[in-house]
Every structure is written in structure tokens, then in C-alpha cells.
Short mmCIF file of all heavy atoms in Angstrom, two decimals:
data_model
loop_
_atom_site.label_atom_id
_atom_site.label_comp_id
_atom_site.label_asym_id
_atom_site.label_seq_id
_atom_site.Cartn_x
_atom_site.Cartn_y
_atom_site.Cartn_z
N GLU A 145 0.23 -9.12 -10.41
CA GLU A 145 -0.48 -7.99 -10.81
C GLU A 145 0.21 -6.70 -10.04
O GLU A 145 0.66 -6.75 -8.92
CB GLU A 145 -1.94 -7.96 -10.30
CG GLU A 145 -2.77 -6.78 -10.70
CD GLU A 145 -4.25 -6.92 -10.42
OE1 GLU A 145 -4.60 -8.03 -10.39
OE2 GLU A 145 -4.86 -5.91 -10.25
N VAL A 146 0.35 -5.70 -10.91
CA VAL A 146 1.03 -4.60 -10.36
C VAL A 146 -0.13 -3.52 -9.80
O VAL A 146 -0.95 -3.26 -10.57
CB VAL A 146 1.88 -3.89 -11.43
CG1 VAL A 146 2.53 -2.57 -10.83
CG2 VAL A 146 2.99 -4.79 -11.96
N ILE A 147 0.03 -3.25 -8.64
CA ILE A 147 -0.94 -2.16 -8.18
C ILE A 147 -0.20 -0.83 -7.94
O ILE A 147 0.84 -0.69 -7.25
CB ILE A 147 -1.30 -2.63 -6.72
CG1 ILE A 147 -2.03 -4.03 -6.70
CG2 ILE A 147 -2.35 -1.64 -6.06
CD1 ILE A 147 -3.23 -4.09 -7.56
N ASP A 148 -0.66 0.26 -8.62
CA ASP A 148 -0.13 1.52 -8.60
C ASP A 148 -0.87 2.21 -7.31
O ASP A 148 -1.96 2.62 -7.47
CB ASP A 148 -0.35 2.35 -9.87
CG ASP A 148 0.11 3.72 -9.80
OD1 ASP A 148 0.80 4.07 -8.89
OD2 ASP A 148 -0.14 4.41 -10.77
N TYR A 149 -0.23 2.03 -6.19
CA TYR A 149 -0.93 2.22 -4.98
C TYR A 149 -1.15 3.78 -4.71
O TYR A 149 -0.28 4.56 -4.35
CB TYR A 149 -0.58 1.57 -3.83
CG TYR A 149 0.86 1.78 -3.42
CD1 TYR A 149 1.26 2.95 -2.55
CD2 TYR A 149 1.81 0.80 -3.75
CE1 TYR A 149 2.57 3.03 -2.32
CE2 TYR A 149 3.19 0.99 -3.36
CZ TYR A 149 3.48 2.09 -2.60
OH TYR A 149 4.75 2.41 -2.26
N LEU A 150 -2.36 4.22 -4.89
CA LEU A 150 -2.81 5.48 -4.52
C LEU A 150 -1.89 6.63 -4.75
O LEU A 150 -1.45 7.48 -3.92
CB LEU A 150 -3.07 5.49 -2.94
CG LEU A 150 -4.01 4.34 -2.48
CD1 LEU A 150 -3.94 4.19 -0.91
CD2 LEU A 150 -5.35 4.59 -2.99
N ARG A 151 -1.39 6.62 -6.08
CA ARG A 151 -0.48 7.61 -6.47
C ARG A 151 -0.90 9.04 -6.12
O ARG A 151 -0.20 9.96 -6.01
CB ARG A 151 -0.29 7.50 -8.13
CG ARG A 151 0.85 8.38 -8.48
CD ARG A 151 1.09 8.15 -10.05
NE ARG A 151 1.78 6.88 -10.30
CZ ARG A 151 2.98 6.60 -10.18
NH1 ARG A 151 3.80 7.47 -9.70
NH2 ARG A 151 3.46 5.39 -10.41
N ALA A 152 -2.30 9.28 -6.08
CA ALA A 152 -2.74 10.61 -5.77
C ALA A 152 -2.29 11.07 -4.44
O ALA A 152 -2.12 12.27 -4.17
CB ALA A 152 -4.23 10.64 -5.79
N HIS A 153 -1.87 10.06 -3.47
CA HIS A 153 -1.44 10.42 -2.21
C HIS A 153 0.11 10.37 -2.17
O HIS A 153 0.64 10.69 -1.08
CB HIS A 153 -1.96 9.48 -1.22
CG HIS A 153 -3.46 9.62 -1.06
ND1 HIS A 153 -4.11 10.48 -0.28
CD2 HIS A 153 -4.46 8.87 -1.58
CE1 HIS A 153 -5.34 10.38 -0.51
NE2 HIS A 153 -5.64 9.38 -1.18
N ALA A 154 0.82 9.95 -3.25
CA ALA A 154 2.22 9.70 -3.19
C ALA A 154 2.94 11.01 -3.49
O ALA A 154 2.49 11.89 -4.33
CB ALA A 154 2.62 8.63 -4.14
N THR A 155 4.05 11.22 -2.82
CA THR A 155 4.93 12.44 -3.14
C THR A 155 6.30 11.68 -3.32
O THR A 155 6.53 10.47 -3.07
CB THR A 155 5.05 13.42 -1.98
OG1 THR A 155 5.62 12.71 -0.81
CG2 THR A 155 3.70 13.98 -1.66
N ASP A 156 7.27 12.57 -3.67
CA ASP A 156 8.60 11.97 -3.80
C ASP A 156 9.51 12.29 -2.53
O ASP A 156 10.70 12.32 -2.62
CB ASP A 156 9.41 12.59 -5.07
CG ASP A 156 8.73 11.92 -6.32
OD1 ASP A 156 8.17 10.87 -6.30
OD2 ASP A 156 8.71 12.69 -7.33
N GLU A 157 8.90 12.58 -1.47
CA GLU A 157 9.48 13.05 -0.29
C GLU A 157 10.10 12.08 0.68
O GLU A 157 11.00 12.36 1.37
CB GLU A 157 8.49 14.03 0.51
CG GLU A 157 8.12 15.27 -0.22
CD GLU A 157 7.32 16.19 0.63
OE1 GLU A 157 7.01 15.86 1.85
OE2 GLU A 157 6.93 17.30 0.20
N GLY A 158 9.49 10.88 0.83
CA GLY A 158 10.05 9.98 1.76
C GLY A 158 9.58 8.66 1.73
O GLY A 158 9.10 8.13 0.65
N ASP A 159 9.65 7.88 2.88
CA ASP A 159 9.28 6.60 3.00
C ASP A 159 7.75 6.41 3.07
O ASP A 159 7.04 7.33 3.27
CB ASP A 159 9.81 6.00 4.29
CG ASP A 159 11.37 5.94 4.39
OD1 ASP A 159 11.96 5.90 3.27
OD2 ASP A 159 11.89 6.08 5.43
N ARG A 160 7.36 5.16 2.65
CA ARG A 160 5.93 4.72 2.75
C ARG A 160 5.83 3.32 3.43
O ARG A 160 6.73 2.52 3.21
CB ARG A 160 5.39 4.57 1.31
CG ARG A 160 5.31 5.83 0.58
CD ARG A 160 5.21 5.60 -0.99
NE ARG A 160 5.30 6.97 -1.59
CZ ARG A 160 6.47 7.52 -2.05
NH1 ARG A 160 7.60 6.84 -1.81
NH2 ARG A 160 6.42 8.72 -2.65
N ILE A 161 4.95 3.23 4.29
CA ILE A 161 4.59 1.99 4.91
C ILE A 161 3.42 1.35 4.12
O ILE A 161 2.46 2.10 3.92
CB ILE A 161 4.24 2.10 6.41
CG1 ILE A 161 5.53 2.53 7.04
CG2 ILE A 161 3.83 0.76 6.85
CD1 ILE A 161 5.21 2.75 8.67
N ILE A 162 3.52 0.11 3.81
CA ILE A 162 2.42 -0.50 3.03
C ILE A 162 1.87 -1.77 3.72
O ILE A 162 2.62 -2.51 4.45
CB ILE A 162 2.95 -1.03 1.69
CG1 ILE A 162 3.78 0.06 1.02
CG2 ILE A 162 1.92 -1.62 0.79
CD1 ILE A 162 4.70 -0.43 -0.06
N GLY A 163 0.59 -1.92 3.74
CA GLY A 163 -0.11 -3.02 4.32
C GLY A 163 -1.27 -3.60 3.54
O GLY A 163 -1.75 -2.88 2.60
N ARG A 164 -1.66 -4.86 3.57
CA ARG A 164 -2.78 -5.35 2.91
C ARG A 164 -3.41 -6.37 3.88
O ARG A 164 -2.87 -6.84 4.82
CB ARG A 164 -2.28 -6.14 1.67
CG ARG A 164 -1.70 -7.42 1.88
CD ARG A 164 -1.52 -8.18 0.58
NE ARG A 164 -0.85 -9.38 0.76
CZ ARG A 164 -0.64 -10.29 0.04
NH1 ARG A 164 -0.77 -10.06 -1.31
NH2 ARG A 164 0.07 -11.44 0.27
N ARG A 165 -4.69 -6.64 3.54
CA ARG A 165 -5.44 -7.70 4.25
C ARG A 165 -6.64 -8.10 3.31
O ARG A 165 -7.16 -7.37 2.42
CB ARG A 165 -6.06 -7.07 5.57
CG ARG A 165 -7.12 -6.06 5.45
CD ARG A 165 -7.58 -5.62 6.77
NE ARG A 165 -8.47 -4.56 6.61
CZ ARG A 165 -9.08 -4.03 7.69
NH1 ARG A 165 -8.81 -4.43 9.01
NH2 ARG A 165 -10.00 -3.08 7.56
N LEU A 166 -6.98 -9.36 3.69
CA LEU A 166 -8.23 -9.75 3.02
C LEU A 166 -9.34 -8.93 3.66
O LEU A 166 -9.29 -8.70 4.79
CB LEU A 166 -8.59 -11.25 3.30
CG LEU A 166 -7.72 -12.20 2.41
CD1 LEU A 166 -7.91 -13.70 2.95
CD2 LEU A 166 -8.00 -12.16 0.97
N ALA A 167 -10.30 -8.54 2.92
CA ALA A 167 -11.33 -7.56 3.48
C ALA A 167 -11.78 -8.10 4.81
O ALA A 167 -12.30 -9.23 4.88
CB ALA A 167 -12.53 -7.48 2.48
N GLY A 168 -11.66 -7.19 5.66
CA GLY A 168 -12.25 -7.48 7.13
C GLY A 168 -11.24 -8.40 7.99
O GLY A 168 -11.42 -8.46 9.24
N GLY A 169 -10.08 -8.62 7.36
CA GLY A 169 -9.07 -9.45 8.17
C GLY A 169 -8.13 -8.81 8.95
O GLY A 169 -8.22 -7.48 9.15
N THR A 170 -6.99 -9.32 9.17
CA THR A 170 -5.90 -8.62 9.96
C THR A 170 -4.86 -8.08 8.91
O THR A 170 -4.52 -8.76 7.94
CB THR A 170 -5.19 -9.73 10.82
OG1 THR A 170 -6.07 -10.31 11.76
CG2 THR A 170 -4.03 -9.06 11.62
N TRP A 171 -4.40 -6.88 9.18
CA TRP A 171 -3.39 -6.24 8.37
C TRP A 171 -2.09 -7.05 8.36
O TRP A 171 -1.58 -7.45 9.42
CB TRP A 171 -3.12 -4.81 8.85
CG TRP A 171 -4.30 -3.91 8.41
CD1 TRP A 171 -5.20 -3.38 9.31
CD2 TRP A 171 -4.73 -3.35 7.17
NE1 TRP A 171 -6.20 -2.64 8.64
CE2 TRP A 171 -5.85 -2.56 7.32
CE3 TRP A 171 -4.11 -3.63 5.84
CZ2 TRP A 171 -6.49 -1.92 6.32
CZ3 TRP A 171 -4.77 -2.93 4.86
CH2 TRP A 171 -5.94 -2.16 4.97
N GLU A 172 -1.49 -7.10 7.15
CA GLU A 172 -0.18 -7.75 6.93
C GLU A 172 0.71 -6.66 6.42
O GLU A 172 0.51 -5.83 5.54
CB GLU A 172 -0.29 -8.75 5.75
CG GLU A 172 1.13 -9.32 5.45
CD GLU A 172 0.86 -10.27 4.20
OE1 GLU A 172 -0.07 -10.42 3.58
OE2 GLU A 172 2.08 -10.83 3.79
N ASN A 173 1.86 -6.45 7.19
CA ASN A 173 2.75 -5.33 6.81
C ASN A 173 3.68 -5.94 5.58
O ASN A 173 4.24 -6.94 5.74
CB ASN A 173 3.80 -5.11 8.00
CG ASN A 173 4.64 -4.06 7.72
OD1 ASN A 173 4.69 -3.33 6.69
ND2 ASN A 173 5.65 -3.70 8.66
N LEU A 174 3.65 -5.02 4.56
CA LEU A 174 4.40 -5.44 3.42
C LEU A 174 5.80 -4.75 3.30
O LEU A 174 6.43 -4.75 2.33
CB LEU A 174 3.56 -5.09 2.11
CG LEU A 174 2.30 -6.01 1.89
CD1 LEU A 174 1.60 -5.45 0.72
CD2 LEU A 174 2.54 -7.49 2.08
N GLY A 175 6.00 -3.89 4.30
CA GLY A 175 7.36 -3.26 4.43
C GLY A 175 7.19 -1.78 4.19
O GLY A 175 6.19 -1.19 4.01
N THR A 176 8.52 -1.19 4.23
CA THR A 176 8.66 0.23 3.90
C THR A 176 9.42 0.40 2.64
O THR A 176 10.41 -0.34 2.37
CB THR A 176 9.37 0.83 5.06
OG1 THR A 176 8.73 0.57 6.28
CG2 THR A 176 9.53 2.31 4.97
N THR A 177 9.05 1.35 1.87
CA THR A 177 9.68 1.59 0.58
C THR A 177 9.60 3.05 0.24
O THR A 177 8.83 3.87 0.78
CB THR A 177 9.03 0.78 -0.50
OG1 THR A 177 9.75 0.85 -1.78
CG2 THR A 177 7.61 1.18 -0.66
N THR A 178 10.42 3.44 -0.75
CA THR A 178 10.27 4.86 -1.37
C THR A 178 9.58 4.70 -2.63
O THR A 178 9.33 5.84 -3.35
CB THR A 178 11.67 5.48 -1.56
OG1 THR A 178 12.49 4.61 -2.37
CG2 THR A 178 12.41 5.64 -0.17
N ARG A 179 9.31 3.56 -3.24
CA ARG A 179 8.63 3.36 -4.52
C ARG A 179 7.11 3.78 -4.43
O ARG A 179 6.62 3.78 -3.31
CB ARG A 179 8.76 2.02 -4.99
CG ARG A 179 10.16 1.54 -5.22
CD ARG A 179 10.21 0.15 -5.71
NE ARG A 179 9.61 -0.79 -4.81
CZ ARG A 179 9.53 -2.04 -4.78
NH1 ARG A 179 9.77 -2.57 -5.98
NH2 ARG A 179 8.91 -2.82 -3.90
N THR A 180 6.51 4.10 -5.52
CA THR A 180 5.11 4.45 -5.56
C THR A 180 4.30 3.19 -6.14
O THR A 180 3.10 3.48 -6.67
CB THR A 180 4.78 5.61 -6.34
OG1 THR A 180 5.37 5.59 -7.68
CG2 THR A 180 5.55 6.83 -5.65
N TYR A 181 4.86 2.01 -6.15
CA TYR A 181 4.18 0.87 -6.78
C TYR A 181 4.67 -0.36 -6.04
O TYR A 181 5.78 -0.36 -5.35
CB TYR A 181 4.43 0.72 -8.20
CG TYR A 181 5.83 0.40 -8.60
CD1 TYR A 181 6.31 -0.93 -8.66
CD2 TYR A 181 6.61 1.41 -8.82
CE1 TYR A 181 7.60 -1.21 -8.90
CE2 TYR A 181 8.05 1.03 -9.06
CZ TYR A 181 8.42 -0.24 -9.18
OH TYR A 181 9.79 -0.52 -9.38
N ILE A 182 3.92 -1.40 -6.13
CA ILE A 182 4.20 -2.71 -5.51
C ILE A 182 3.83 -3.81 -6.46
O ILE A 182 2.73 -3.66 -7.04
CB ILE A 182 3.73 -2.87 -4.10
CG1 ILE A 182 4.36 -4.13 -3.44
CG2 ILE A 182 2.20 -2.85 -4.08
CD1 ILE A 182 3.98 -4.19 -1.95
N THR A 183 4.58 -4.94 -6.51
CA THR A 183 4.15 -6.06 -7.24
C THR A 183 3.96 -7.31 -6.40
O THR A 183 4.89 -7.53 -5.57
CB THR A 183 5.23 -6.41 -8.35
OG1 THR A 183 5.47 -5.29 -9.14
CG2 THR A 183 4.80 -7.47 -9.20
N LYS A 184 2.79 -7.83 -6.29
CA LYS A 184 2.43 -8.96 -5.46
C LYS A 184 1.51 -9.84 -6.24
O LYS A 184 0.82 -9.41 -7.12
CB LYS A 184 1.63 -8.50 -4.26
CG LYS A 184 2.55 -7.77 -3.22
CD LYS A 184 3.44 -8.73 -2.50
CE LYS A 184 4.37 -8.02 -1.58
NZ LYS A 184 5.47 -8.85 -0.98
N TRP A 185 1.49 -11.17 -5.85
CA TRP A 185 0.50 -12.06 -6.37
C TRP A 185 -0.68 -12.03 -5.49
O TRP A 185 -0.62 -11.98 -4.30
CB TRP A 185 1.09 -13.51 -6.28
CG TRP A 185 2.17 -13.65 -7.30
CD1 TRP A 185 3.57 -13.53 -7.17
CD2 TRP A 185 2.01 -13.82 -8.87
NE1 TRP A 185 4.17 -13.66 -8.27
CE2 TRP A 185 3.18 -13.90 -9.45
CE3 TRP A 185 0.79 -14.03 -9.63
CZ2 TRP A 185 3.49 -14.02 -10.66
CZ3 TRP A 185 1.05 -14.10 -10.93
CH2 TRP A 185 2.37 -14.14 -11.48
N TRP A 186 -1.91 -12.08 -6.12
CA TRP A 186 -3.11 -12.00 -5.49
C TRP A 186 -3.94 -13.24 -5.75
O TRP A 186 -3.85 -13.73 -6.81
CB TRP A 186 -3.95 -10.77 -5.86
CG TRP A 186 -3.15 -9.39 -5.66
CD1 TRP A 186 -2.43 -8.95 -6.73
CD2 TRP A 186 -2.96 -8.65 -4.66
NE1 TRP A 186 -1.77 -7.71 -6.24
CE2 TRP A 186 -2.15 -7.56 -4.92
CE3 TRP A 186 -3.35 -8.75 -3.28
CZ2 TRP A 186 -1.67 -6.60 -4.07
CZ3 TRP A 186 -2.97 -7.77 -2.46
CH2 TRP A 186 -2.20 -6.74 -2.72
N LEU A 187 -4.89 -13.65 -4.73
CA LEU A 187 -5.77 -14.75 -5.09
C LEU A 187 -7.01 -14.22 -5.76
O LEU A 187 -7.60 -13.35 -5.37
CB LEU A 187 -6.18 -15.37 -3.75
CG LEU A 187 -5.04 -15.99 -2.85
CD1 LEU A 187 -5.58 -16.45 -1.53
CD2 LEU A 187 -4.31 -17.20 -3.60
N ARG A 188 -7.33 -14.99 -6.88
CA ARG A 188 -8.44 -14.71 -7.63
C ARG A 188 -9.75 -14.93 -6.81
O ARG A 188 -9.84 -15.75 -6.05
CB ARG A 188 -8.59 -15.48 -8.95
CG ARG A 188 -7.49 -15.11 -9.99
CD ARG A 188 -7.52 -15.98 -11.09
NE ARG A 188 -6.37 -15.57 -11.99
CZ ARG A 188 -6.61 -15.36 -13.26
NH1 ARG A 188 -7.81 -15.44 -13.85
NH2 ARG A 188 -5.48 -15.10 -13.93
N GLY A 189 -10.70 -14.00 -6.99
CA GLY A 189 -12.00 -14.21 -6.33
C GLY A 189 -11.98 -13.56 -5.01
O GLY A 189 -12.98 -13.64 -4.27
N GLU A 190 -10.78 -12.94 -4.52
CA GLU A 190 -10.80 -12.39 -3.28
C GLU A 190 -10.75 -10.85 -3.30
O GLU A 190 -10.50 -10.29 -4.35
CB GLU A 190 -9.39 -12.75 -2.53
CG GLU A 190 -9.31 -14.17 -2.33
CD GLU A 190 -10.26 -14.70 -1.13
OE1 GLU A 190 -10.90 -13.88 -0.47
OE2 GLU A 190 -10.36 -16.01 -1.04
N THR A 191 -11.18 -10.29 -2.24
CA THR A 191 -11.21 -8.78 -2.17
C THR A 191 -10.17 -8.43 -1.04
O THR A 191 -10.29 -8.96 0.09
CB THR A 191 -12.62 -8.25 -1.71
OG1 THR A 191 -13.52 -8.64 -2.78
CG2 THR A 191 -12.64 -6.77 -1.61
N TYR A 192 -9.31 -7.51 -1.34
CA TYR A 192 -8.30 -7.05 -0.56
C TYR A 192 -8.41 -5.53 -0.14
O TYR A 192 -8.96 -4.84 -0.95
CB TYR A 192 -6.84 -7.21 -1.17
CG TYR A 192 -6.53 -8.53 -1.38
CD1 TYR A 192 -6.71 -9.37 -2.54
CD2 TYR A 192 -5.60 -9.30 -0.40
CE1 TYR A 192 -6.30 -10.61 -2.77
CE2 TYR A 192 -5.29 -10.58 -0.59
CZ TYR A 192 -5.53 -11.23 -1.77
OH TYR A 192 -5.14 -12.50 -1.95
N GLU A 193 -7.95 -5.24 0.97
CA GLU A 193 -7.85 -3.76 1.30
C GLU A 193 -6.32 -3.53 1.32
O GLU A 193 -5.57 -4.36 1.83
CB GLU A 193 -8.46 -3.45 2.66
CG GLU A 193 -9.98 -3.58 2.57
CD GLU A 193 -10.68 -3.39 3.95
OE1 GLU A 193 -10.35 -4.13 4.83
OE2 GLU A 193 -11.48 -2.47 4.09
N PHE A 194 -5.86 -2.44 0.88
CA PHE A 194 -4.57 -2.12 0.64
C PHE A 194 -4.41 -0.63 1.18
O PHE A 194 -5.21 0.28 0.99
CB PHE A 194 -4.28 -2.06 -0.82
CG PHE A 194 -2.86 -1.98 -1.29
CD1 PHE A 194 -2.11 -2.98 -1.22
CD2 PHE A 194 -2.46 -0.77 -1.79
CE1 PHE A 194 -0.74 -2.85 -1.52
CE2 PHE A 194 -1.06 -0.71 -2.21
CZ PHE A 194 -0.17 -1.76 -2.03
N ARG A 195 -3.32 -0.42 2.06
CA ARG A 195 -3.16 0.87 2.71
C ARG A 195 -1.73 1.27 2.56
O ARG A 195 -0.87 0.42 2.47
CB ARG A 195 -3.60 0.72 4.12
CG ARG A 195 -2.68 -0.05 5.02
CD ARG A 195 -3.20 -0.06 6.47
NE ARG A 195 -2.38 -0.80 7.34
CZ ARG A 195 -2.54 -0.92 8.62
NH1 ARG A 195 -3.50 -0.29 9.28
NH2 ARG A 195 -1.60 -1.51 9.29
N VAL A 196 -1.60 2.58 2.62
CA VAL A 196 -0.23 3.15 2.54
C VAL A 196 -0.25 4.44 3.36
O VAL A 196 -1.34 5.12 3.42
CB VAL A 196 0.20 3.47 1.06
CG1 VAL A 196 -0.75 4.36 0.37
CG2 VAL A 196 1.62 3.79 0.96
N ARG A 197 0.84 4.82 3.91
CA ARG A 197 0.92 6.11 4.59
C ARG A 197 2.41 6.46 4.31
O ARG A 197 3.25 5.75 4.17
CB ARG A 197 0.70 6.02 6.06
CG ARG A 197 1.57 5.31 6.90
CD ARG A 197 1.10 5.12 8.35
NE ARG A 197 1.10 6.34 9.14
CZ ARG A 197 0.89 6.31 10.41
NH1 ARG A 197 0.90 5.15 11.11
NH2 ARG A 197 0.95 7.44 11.00
N GLU A 198 2.60 7.86 4.36
CA GLU A 198 3.98 8.41 4.02
C GLU A 198 4.45 9.07 5.24
O GLU A 198 3.76 9.73 5.94
CB GLU A 198 3.80 9.27 2.79
CG GLU A 198 3.49 8.64 1.52
CD GLU A 198 3.64 9.69 0.38
OE1 GLU A 198 2.89 10.62 0.36
OE2 GLU A 198 4.46 9.37 -0.53
N ARG A 199 5.79 9.26 5.15
CA ARG A 199 6.59 10.05 6.15
C ARG A 199 7.17 11.10 5.28
O ARG A 199 7.88 10.95 4.30
CB ARG A 199 7.63 9.29 6.86
CG ARG A 199 8.48 9.92 7.85
CD ARG A 199 9.26 9.25 8.67
NE ARG A 199 10.12 8.23 7.86
CZ ARG A 199 10.86 7.23 8.39
NH1 ARG A 199 10.65 6.99 9.71
NH2 ARG A 199 11.57 6.35 7.62
N ASP A 200 7.07 12.42 5.79
CA ASP A 200 7.60 13.58 5.09
C ASP A 200 9.01 13.78 5.45
O ASP A 200 9.61 13.00 6.25
CB ASP A 200 6.70 14.79 5.21
CG ASP A 200 6.78 15.28 6.77
OD1 ASP A 200 7.61 14.96 7.49
OD2 ASP A 200 5.78 16.13 7.01
N ARG A 201 9.69 14.79 4.82
CA ARG A 201 11.13 15.03 5.19
C ARG A 201 11.37 15.39 6.58
O ARG A 201 12.58 15.40 7.13
CB ARG A 201 11.59 16.17 4.23
CG ARG A 201 11.68 15.67 2.86
CD ARG A 201 12.12 16.67 1.85
NE ARG A 201 12.18 16.21 0.47
CZ ARG A 201 12.23 16.97 -0.54
NH1 ARG A 201 12.22 18.23 -0.49
NH2 ARG A 201 12.21 16.36 -1.82
N ASN A 202 10.32 15.82 7.30
CA ASN A 202 10.56 16.19 8.74
C ASN A 202 10.34 15.04 9.72
O ASN A 202 10.33 15.18 10.98
CB ASN A 202 9.59 17.42 9.11
CG ASN A 202 9.83 18.66 8.35
OD1 ASN A 202 11.00 19.07 8.16
ND2 ASN A 202 8.86 19.28 7.92
N GLY A 203 10.02 13.79 9.08
CA GLY A 203 9.78 12.62 9.84
C GLY A 203 8.34 12.46 10.39
O GLY A 203 8.16 11.57 11.15
N ASN A 204 7.44 13.26 9.89
CA ASN A 204 6.09 13.14 10.26
C ASN A 204 5.37 12.11 9.42
O ASN A 204 5.37 12.21 8.20
CB ASN A 204 5.40 14.59 10.18
CG ASN A 204 5.97 15.45 11.12
OD1 ASN A 204 6.23 15.34 12.25
ND2 ASN A 204 6.35 16.66 10.49
N TRP A 205 4.65 11.30 10.01
CA TRP A 205 3.74 10.25 9.34
C TRP A 205 2.39 10.76 8.99
O TRP A 205 1.74 11.38 9.87
CB TRP A 205 3.60 8.92 10.11
CG TRP A 205 5.00 8.11 10.03
CD1 TRP A 205 5.85 8.05 11.11
CD2 TRP A 205 5.49 7.23 9.08
NE1 TRP A 205 6.89 7.18 10.73
CE2 TRP A 205 6.60 6.83 9.44
CE3 TRP A 205 4.99 6.98 7.73
CZ2 TRP A 205 7.37 5.98 8.67
CZ3 TRP A 205 5.74 6.22 6.93
CH2 TRP A 205 6.93 5.65 7.42
N GLY A 206 1.97 10.66 7.75
CA GLY A 206 0.58 11.03 7.41
C GLY A 206 -0.44 9.95 7.79
O GLY A 206 -0.14 8.99 8.29
N SER A 207 -1.66 10.23 7.51
CA SER A 207 -2.69 9.27 7.79
C SER A 207 -2.81 8.19 6.84
O SER A 207 -2.23 8.29 5.76
CB SER A 207 -4.01 9.96 7.90
OG SER A 207 -4.34 10.64 6.65
N TRP A 208 -3.39 7.10 7.14
CA TRP A 208 -3.48 5.99 6.24
C TRP A 208 -4.44 6.19 5.04
O TRP A 208 -5.50 6.80 5.31
CB TRP A 208 -3.94 4.66 6.86
CG TRP A 208 -3.12 3.98 7.86
CD1 TRP A 208 -3.15 4.03 9.18
CD2 TRP A 208 -1.96 3.16 7.46
NE1 TRP A 208 -2.05 3.34 9.71
CE2 TRP A 208 -1.32 2.85 8.70
CE3 TRP A 208 -1.36 2.87 6.31
CZ2 TRP A 208 -0.08 2.14 8.75
CZ3 TRP A 208 -0.16 2.20 6.33
CH2 TRP A 208 0.39 1.66 7.48
N ALA A 209 -4.03 5.86 3.83
CA ALA A 209 -4.92 5.96 2.61
C ALA A 209 -5.32 4.56 2.35
O ALA A 209 -4.36 3.68 2.19
CB ALA A 209 -4.29 6.68 1.53
N ILE A 210 -6.56 4.18 2.14
CA ILE A 210 -7.01 2.78 2.05
C ILE A 210 -7.75 2.61 0.69
O ILE A 210 -8.56 3.47 0.45
CB ILE A 210 -7.84 2.27 3.26
CG1 ILE A 210 -7.00 2.33 4.55
CG2 ILE A 210 -8.31 0.90 2.98
CD1 ILE A 210 -7.77 2.11 5.73
N LYS A 211 -7.40 1.51 0.00
CA LYS A 211 -7.99 1.32 -1.25
C LYS A 211 -8.45 -0.19 -1.13
O LYS A 211 -7.73 -0.98 -0.76
CB LYS A 211 -7.16 1.46 -2.45
CG LYS A 211 -7.78 1.26 -3.83
CD LYS A 211 -6.88 1.59 -4.82
CE LYS A 211 -7.47 1.44 -6.15
NZ LYS A 211 -6.52 1.89 -7.33
N THR A 212 -9.70 -0.46 -1.69
CA THR A 212 -10.26 -1.82 -1.75
C THR A 212 -10.10 -2.33 -3.21
O THR A 212 -10.38 -1.60 -4.12
CB THR A 212 -11.69 -1.93 -1.37
OG1 THR A 212 -11.84 -1.33 -0.02
CG2 THR A 212 -12.32 -3.35 -1.56
N ILE A 213 -9.52 -3.56 -3.28
CA ILE A 213 -9.36 -4.07 -4.64
C ILE A 213 -9.90 -5.45 -4.69
O ILE A 213 -9.72 -6.38 -3.92
CB ILE A 213 -7.70 -4.32 -4.79
CG1 ILE A 213 -6.99 -2.90 -4.69
CG2 ILE A 213 -7.39 -5.04 -6.13
CD1 ILE A 213 -5.51 -3.07 -4.49
N ALA A 214 -10.82 -5.68 -5.71
CA ALA A 214 -11.36 -7.00 -6.04
C ALA A 214 -10.58 -7.60 -7.09
O ALA A 214 -10.64 -7.10 -8.20
CB ALA A 214 -12.89 -6.84 -6.33
N ILE A 215 -10.20 -8.83 -6.87
CA ILE A 215 -9.35 -9.59 -7.82
C ILE A 215 -10.30 -10.51 -8.53
O ILE A 215 -10.88 -11.43 -7.98
CB ILE A 215 -8.17 -10.38 -7.20
CG1 ILE A 215 -7.31 -9.41 -6.42
CG2 ILE A 215 -7.42 -11.04 -8.34
CD1 ILE A 215 -6.73 -8.23 -7.20
N SER A 216 -10.39 -10.37 -9.98
CA SER A 216 -11.33 -11.35 -10.61
C SER A 216 -10.56 -12.32 -11.39
O SER A 216 -9.38 -12.24 -11.62
CB SER A 216 -12.26 -10.51 -11.57
OG SER A 216 -11.53 -9.81 -12.40
#
């Protein structure tokens, strides 16, 4: 499944750190990218929290934007 992660928070300015977790679990780092989407396999019947934060051209990191995703 392709998750278009929080495009409302995305700019074309810099890097993004991405993380996910099963709701209430421990965050898993999915890496750093300049893309505004990610493709991952998800377990059906689970609820995930997905987070992203961006770094601007000056090297400043923004706050985490978090989205909950229920996979049916």
C-alpha cells in the first residue's frame, strides 16, 4: 500500500525523517528521504501511527506530524 504521508506538511525544501509503529508501540525508524511518499507492506487488521518531520534549507528540523492509519 502506498501512503502519501502528510503531503500538507511536505515541502520541496529538504530531508524528511519517517517513522511508524503499531498503535501505542515503539517507533521504528524508516529512514530519511526527500520523497513525499513511501511504499510499505502493512498487516491487515492493525492500526499504525505514522510520523514525519522535515528539515529546512537552514538545517532546522520541524515538529513531528503524526497520522493514524487503520489497515482493513
